[in-house]
Amino acid sequence: MKSRRADWLAVSIGAAPTLGGCGTSPGGRALSGAAIGAGTGAVIGSVTGIGPGGGALIGGGVGAAVGGLTSPNTINLSRR
């Protein structure tokens, strides 16, 4: 029988490529960074003792900060 952790991991791995291409503005990058960070944090939190909610909060905050502070000149968004 599959565990819920395996389900969360599968969903997160599947969603990462879809969310990874988002954000041409600082706000867009902050939102996509928050979404990616929250998903990753929930998976990591469910495996560790933090729990999925705490992991999602931490990951979402870090992802939003990194996404919002990233300069469009230092990343390749494939915008032509």
Side-chain angles (χ1 to χ4, degrees):
M1 184 172 177
K2 286 174 62 175
S3 69
R4 294 193 80 195
R5 289 182 186 169
D7 292 339
W8 273 102
L9 183 61
V11 169
S12 297
I13 289 172
T18 303
L19 295 172
C22 299
T24 56
S25 68
R29 287 189 303 276
L31 286 175
S32 63
I36 294 167
T40 304
V43 171
I44 293 171
S46 67
V47 175
T48 63
I50 297 172
L57 286 173
I58 294 168
V62 171
V66 170
L69 296 173
T70 303
S71 169
N73 297 327
T74 60
I75 57 174
N76 181 8
L77 297 174
S78 299
R79 187 174 185 189
R80 298 173 193 219

